[in-house]
């Protein structure tokens, strides 16, 4: 009851904040407001105690603080939170994206399919109209041509007539709705396969196979990867400039010059760029995966086309059982290419929609202004670090952690760990020691220095010194990182701290069964002697589990039995026993002999039946007497 009351109160607060924001001219989503409410409650500087019930004054204070944060203008922190909320609401896994695309296509074609299956035709004109609707449905489903294109309609009509002439339409209309939908799907796949085959047969083989890709896929392949890579390059360059500037301002050994901007805004801008970088890397990985799937589908399409040409080459008539499955296979490959094109367009749209969330940092700190604050050597070092950060393939030998020097901590190295490059690193690969010591500086760690495994989690560091100092008291640093995240709520998702803050969740976080667990490997050998001590050989030893079970059942059965004047396996050797038997005697009996008698068969003869109409008939009894 208390939990339900608390949830209802939180919903009312969220609704009130969203309504007040709309009144002030800023439309915000309930998801953004809910995240902001939780962030304000977690921040210790606001003085809320989440373990007790909020009073009316606490609620009023909470609403005002949330409104102040949501109404901030030119705030990189708010833009980062908005970016995270947008990405969580619009990005999902590849499988779910493809399911959404399929359901969207089916819902778009549902009205046309329903008109076809629900039609009740009577006249010839109505039959012709239904036939035209089937052609329209095929064109819309295949996306090879438009229903308004005369040439495309003629080609689709010719292909459909070759497998489904108009004379069979009455039989089609007599089917049930489910059978109509199934046959309509099969007809669509066959006609699409025929159109693809006809399109590929018009030119040279290699050129036609290359041109078989949907037009929307050709555009998406050439544009999406290029746009994401270009945006990612700009974001990484700005992120490393912010990193170099924040690192310079937070270095205790350097006396920085006086700057007219607060360092807190620089950190917020850095967090904004790092979060944008993380999202762009996810989109780029999905786009590259789409490109690989397109190559696989194209190879399969080429093989299916060669197989089909071999079947129909120099043949006047080809059995439908041979070519129809190939046509359906071509249609499935074509649908797969269309889905990849739609997925690339979705990724491209998400990338463009993320750009408005980076405007605040660009307004506050232009790239030219950042260059003026940094020296040329610092900019070159940052760009070099950005290049090396993609792989971290180089690490000096003296920077490696020696696991043999640590008996209480486990370290993972690339030479002794399977799947080292796919490990799920804590804090999204950020050095936790630098984050704490440098008051919120985000510096990516180098896994090749050594990955610390502590309480099932993997930590990376930017230097060997940071790794050694973190390993001395890891729990303290973990708690301090959580405190830093409470003061900057955008770090909760950026560093993947949702498990520590159970009230904040992320839709884009992978499930536990997808995480790769490290498997350490080392060279070792073992040898086991058959009988180390011959004097202790037990002859009754039995290795077979089933034989042991059989003996146990036998013993358990014998314990419930008693012997009464019979021989057993244990007593039959104690005395001689002789048993004599007699075979049965041959016994016969005599019975009386059966006899039989023969009764005469009655016979009667009628005379005078022929040659006369009214003459008398003489009846003569010819039966033999019994005594004869």
């Amino acid at each position: 009851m208390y939990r339900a009351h608390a949830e209802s109160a939180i919903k009312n607060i969220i609704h009130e904040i969203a309504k007040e924001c709309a009144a002030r001219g800023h439309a915000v989503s309930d998801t953004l407001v809910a995240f902001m409410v939780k962030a304000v409650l977690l921040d210790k500087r606001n003085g809320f105690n989440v373990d007790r019930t909020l009073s009316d004054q606490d609620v009023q204070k909470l609403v005002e603080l949330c409104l102040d944060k949501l109404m901030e203008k030119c705030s990189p922190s708010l833009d980062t939170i908005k970016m995270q909320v947008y990405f969580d609401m619009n990005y999902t896994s590849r499988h779910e994206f493809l399911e959404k695309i399929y359901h969207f296509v089916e819902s778009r074609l549902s009205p046309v399919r329903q008109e076809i299956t629900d039609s009740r035709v009577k006249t010839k004109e109505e039959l012709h109209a239904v036939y035209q609707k089937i052609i329209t449905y095929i064109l819309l489903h295949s996306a090879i041509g438009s229903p308004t294109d005369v040439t495309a309609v003629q080609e689709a009509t010719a292909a459909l007539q070759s497998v489904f002439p108009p004379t069979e339409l009455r039989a089609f209309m007599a089917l049930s709705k489910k059978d109509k939908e199934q046959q309509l799907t099969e007809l669509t796949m066959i006609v699409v396969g025929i159109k693809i085959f006809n399109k590929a047969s018009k030119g040279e083989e290699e050129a036609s196979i290359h041109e078989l890709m949907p037009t929307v896929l050709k555009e998406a392949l050439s544009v999406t990867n290029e746009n994401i890579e270009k945006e990612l390059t700009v974001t990484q360059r700005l992120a490393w400039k912010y990193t170099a500037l924040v690192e310079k301002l937070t270095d205790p050994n350097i006396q920085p010059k006086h700057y007219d901007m607060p360092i807190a805004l620089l950190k917020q801008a850095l967090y904004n760029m790092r979060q944008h970088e993380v999202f762009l890397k996810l989109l780029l990985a999905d786009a590259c995966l789409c490109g690989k799937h397109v190559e696989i589908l194209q190879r399969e399409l080429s093989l299916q086309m060669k197989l089909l040409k071999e079947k129909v080459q120099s043949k006047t008539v080809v059995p439908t059982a041979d070519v129809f499955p190939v046509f359906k296979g071509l249609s499935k490959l074509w649908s797969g290419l269309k889905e990849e094109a739609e997925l690339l367009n979705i990724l491209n749209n998400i990338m463009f929609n993320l750009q408005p969330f980076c405007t605040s940092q660009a307004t506050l700190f232009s790239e030219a202004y950042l260059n003026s604050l940094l020296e040329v050597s610092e900019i070159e070092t940052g760009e070099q670090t950005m290049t090396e950060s993609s792989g971290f393939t180089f690490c000096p030998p003296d920077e490696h952690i020696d696991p043999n020097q640590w008996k209480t901590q486990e370290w993972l190295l690339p030479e002794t760990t399977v799947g080292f490059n796919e490990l799920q690193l804590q804090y999204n690969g950020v050095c936790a020691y630098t984050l704490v010591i440098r008051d919120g500086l985000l510096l990516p760690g180098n896994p090749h220095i050594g990955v610390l495994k502590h309480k099932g989690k993997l930590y990376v560091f930017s230097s060997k010194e940071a790794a050694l100092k973190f390993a001395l008291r890891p729990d303290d640093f973990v708690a301090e990182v959580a405190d830093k995240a409470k003061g900057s709520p955008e770090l909760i998702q950026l560093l993947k701290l949702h498990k520590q803050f159970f009230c904040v969740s992320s839709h884009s976080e992978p499930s536990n069964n997808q995480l790769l667990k490290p498997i350490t490997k080392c060279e070792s050998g073992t040898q086991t002697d058959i009988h180390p001590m011959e004097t202790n050989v037990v002859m009754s030893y039995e290795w077979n589990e089933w034989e042991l079970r059989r003996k146990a059942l036998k013993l358990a059965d014998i314990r419930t039995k008693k012997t009464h004047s019979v021989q057993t396996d244990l007593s039959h050797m104690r005395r001689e026993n002789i048993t004599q038997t007699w075979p049965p005697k041959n016994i016969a009996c005599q019975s009386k002999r059966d006899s039989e008698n023969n009764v005469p068969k009655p016979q009667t003869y009628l005379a005078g039946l022929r040659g006369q109409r009214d003459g008398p008939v003489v009846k003569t009894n010819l039966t033999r007497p019994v005594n004869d």
Side-chain angles (χ1 to χ4, degrees):
M1 182 64 68
Y2 172 77
R3 182 181 180 86
H5 179 72
E7 292 179 354
S8 177
I10 292 295
K11 289 181 180 180
N12 293 334
I13 294 173
I14 293 173
H15 179 71
E16 181 181 352
I17 295 174
K19 185 177 179 180
E20 183 63 25
C21 289
R24 298 184 184 184
H26 290 78
V28 294
S29 63
D30 291 343
T31 305
L32 176 60
V33 177
F35 186 89
M36 188 59 68
V37 169
K38 295 173 183 178
V40 171
L41 290 174
L42 288 174
D43 195 348
K44 294 182 178 179
R45 296 172 297 181
N46 297 327
F48 292 104
N49 187 1
V50 295
D51 295 330
R52 64 178 179 85
T53 306
L54 296 178
S55 62
D56 294 339
Q57 294 180 353
D58 293 337
V59 172
Q60 185 63 28
K61 180 181 177 181
L62 175 62
V63 172
E64 292 177 358
L65 289 175
C66 291
L67 287 175
D68 292 340
K69 288 185 173 294
L70 292 172
M71 293 295 105
E72 287 182 358
K73 295 182 179 180
C74 204
S75 172
S77 177
L78 181 59
D79 280 352
T80 305
I81 295 175
K82 289 181 179 179
M83 184 195 307
Q84 294 169 348
V85 172
Y86 168 79
F87 198 81
D88 281 345
M89 299 300 295
N90 293 274
Y91 179 81
T92 184
S93 63
R94 170 184 170 86
H95 176 70
E96 292 180 357
F97 267 136
L98 294 177
E99 282 189 352
K100 289 182 179 180
I101 293 171
Y102 174 78
H103 291 305
F104 173 76
V105 173
E106 291 296 320
S107 62
R108 185 168 58 89
L109 297 176
S110 179
V112 182
R113 181 173 60 249
Q114 189 172 359
E115 288 183 7
I116 297 172
T117 56
D118 294 348
S119 298
R120 295 294 183 266
V121 296
K122 296 181 180 180
T123 63
K124 185 177 181 181
E125 290 76 10
E126 292 176 346
L127 285 173
H128 179 72
V130 172
Y131 200 81
Q132 294 299 320
K133 288 180 182 178
I134 295 176
I135 297 173
T136 302
Y137 176 83
I138 293 174
L139 290 174
L140 292 175
H141 192 280
S142 63
I144 297 180
S146 174
T148 59
D149 187 0
V150 179
T151 304
V153 172
Q154 290 177 352
E155 293 177 354
T157 304
L160 182 61
Q161 289 178 350
S162 62
V163 296
F164 184 71
T167 55
E168 298 184 5
L169 191 58
R170 290 189 179 276
F172 172 81
M173 300 307 298
L175 299 175
S176 62
K177 184 175 182 178
K178 184 177 180 181
D179 293 338
K180 287 180 183 178
E181 293 178 350
Q182 182 178 359
Q183 187 170 352
L184 184 61
T185 302
E186 293 182 357
L187 288 175
T188 302
M189 296 177 65
I190 295 173
V191 172
V192 171
I194 293 174
K195 291 196 65 176
I196 296 173
F197 176 73
N198 293 337
K199 183 179 179 181
S201 302
K202 292 181 180 179
E204 297 294 333
E205 182 178 353
E206 296 297 331
S208 60
I209 292 298
H210 177 72
E211 294 174 358
L212 281 179
M213 290 191 304
T215 306
V216 64
L217 180 58
K218 296 179 183 178
E219 298 174 355
L221 277 176
S222 60
V223 171
T224 303
N225 284 32
E226 182 180 354
N227 290 342
I228 297 178
E229 289 177 354
K230 183 179 179 180
E231 190 74 14
L232 180 59
T233 303
V234 175
T235 300
Q236 287 179 331
R237 183 174 66 250
L238 288 174
W240 278 110
K241 288 182 179 181
Y242 282 121
T243 302
L245 188 55
V246 174
E247 188 174 10
K248 182 178 180 181
L249 295 176
T250 57
D251 192 349
N253 300 323
I254 299 177
Q255 295 295 332
K257 301 178 182 179
H258 177 71
Y259 297 105
D260 57 349
M261 93 287 294
I263 190 173
L265 285 178
L266 281 175
K267 293 178 184 177
Q268 292 179 13
L270 174 60
Y271 301 159
N272 184 271
M273 287 292 95
R274 287 300 184 191
Q275 186 64 82
H276 193 220
E277 177 188 3
V278 170
F279 290 157
L280 289 179
K281 286 183 178 179
L282 288 176
L283 297 177
L284 183 60
D286 289 345
C288 293
L289 186 59
C290 286
K292 294 180 181 179
H293 279 274
V294 168
E295 293 179 358
I296 295 174
L297 292 174
Q298 280 186 315
R299 287 196 296 267
E300 292 181 357
L301 188 65
S302 178
L303 294 176
Q304 291 287 338
M305 197 64 63
K306 291 180 180 179
L307 177 63
L308 188 57
K309 288 185 176 181
E310 292 176 358
K311 289 181 177 294
V312 302
Q313 188 177 10
S314 66
K315 293 183 180 179
T316 307
V317 180
V318 182
T320 57
D322 294 340
V323 295
F324 277 10
V326 185
F327 285 145
K328 292 180 180 179
L330 292 177
S331 178
K332 291 181 179 179
L333 295 175
W334 179 263
S335 299
L337 291 174
K338 286 194 306 173
E339 291 177 352
E340 297 297 334
E342 294 294 335
L343 180 54
L344 286 172
N345 286 331
I346 292 175
L347 298 177
N348 197 34
N349 292 334
I350 294 176
M351 185 270 298
F352 278 114
N353 292 332
L354 290 177
Q355 292 178 353
F357 301 113
C358 302
T359 56
S360 295
Q361 61 82 22
T363 304
L364 291 173
F365 313 105
S366 63
E367 190 169 0
Y369 179 67
L370 294 177
N371 293 337
S372 65
L373 298 178
L374 295 171
E375 298 178 1
V376 178
S377 59
E378 293 173 338
I379 297 176
E380 292 177 353
T381 304
E383 292 177 352
Q384 181 181 0
T385 308
M386 179 183 68
T387 304
E388 295 176 355
S389 65
S390 59
F392 286 112
T393 56
F394 173 75
C395 184
D398 56 346
E399 284 292 320
H400 284 284
I401 295 293
D402 187 4
N404 297 325
Q405 298 179 357
W406 296 83
K407 296 183 179 180
T408 58
Q409 300 288 359
E410 181 180 358
W411 293 88
L412 305 180
L413 295 175
E415 298 83 8
T416 60
T417 306
V418 179
F420 184 79
N421 294 328
E422 287 78 22
L423 295 179
Q424 297 293 330
L425 303 176
Q426 188 71 2
Y427 303 136
N428 215 2
V430 173
C431 178
Y433 176 82
T434 306
L435 177 66
V436 174
I437 298 300
R438 292 296 187 88
D439 193 21
L441 173 62
L442 296 184
L443 202 62
N446 188 349
H448 288 263
I449 295 175
V451 178
L452 174 63
K453 185 177 181 181
H454 177 68
K455 294 183 178 180
K457 298 180 180 179
L458 307 177
Y459 301 89
V460 290
F461 310 96
S462 58
S463 64
K464 183 178 181 180
E465 179 184 1
L468 296 177
K469 291 184 177 180
F470 182 92
L472 294 176
R473 48 188 188 95
D475 294 330
D476 296 338
F477 281 101
V478 170
E480 292 181 15
V481 170
D483 291 336
K484 294 288 183 183
K486 291 178 181 179
S488 300
E490 62 268 27
L491 290 178
I492 296 177
Q493 179 165 343
L494 180 57
L495 302 181
K496 295 183 178 179
L497 299 176
H498 307 97
K499 293 183 179 179
Q500 290 183 251
F501 303 100
F502 60 90
C503 61
V504 182
S505 61
S506 173
H507 300 288
S508 59
E509 185 179 8
S511 57
N512 293 332
N513 56 2
Q514 295 176 348
L515 300 181
L516 180 64
K517 297 182 178 180
I519 302 176
T520 56
K521 57 182 179 180
C522 61
E523 295 183 359
S524 63
T526 58
Q527 182 178 0
T528 304
D529 296 333
I530 298 178
H531 296 297
M533 299 178 64
E534 294 294 336
T535 56
N536 291 337
V537 176
V538 180
M539 302 305 298
S540 62
Y541 170 75
E542 180 62 55
W543 64 270
N544 193 337
E545 177 185 354
W546 295 100
E547 182 64 21
L548 293 174
R549 296 180 67 177
R550 188 188 68 81
K551 291 182 178 180
L553 292 174
K554 182 178 179 181
L555 293 174
D557 186 61
I558 291 177
R559 291 183 61 187
T560 61
K561 300 295 188 295
K562 292 183 179 180
T563 303
H564 296 280
S565 301
V566 296
Q567 296 181 13
T568 63
D569 291 339
L570 299 178
S571 65
H572 75 283
M573 297 293 294
R574 296 180 182 178
R575 59 188 177 88
E576 295 181 357
N577 289 329
I578 298 175
T579 303
Q580 183 176 5
T581 60
W582 287 268
K585 295 181 179 181
N586 294 328
I587 300 175
C589 61
Q590 185 177 6
S591 61
K592 65 179 181 179
R593 182 177 297 175
D594 293 335
S595 62
E596 60 180 7
N597 54 7
N598 191 7
V599 179
K601 184 178 181 180
Q603 291 183 353
T604 304
Y605 178 75
L606 300 176
L609 295 176
R610 293 183 180 180
Q612 57 184 355
R613 178 174 298 177
D614 299 327
V617 177
V618 179
K619 180 179 179 181
T620 305
N621 185 8
L622 300 179
T623 302
R624 183 175 58 86
V626 177
N627 298 327
D628 290 349

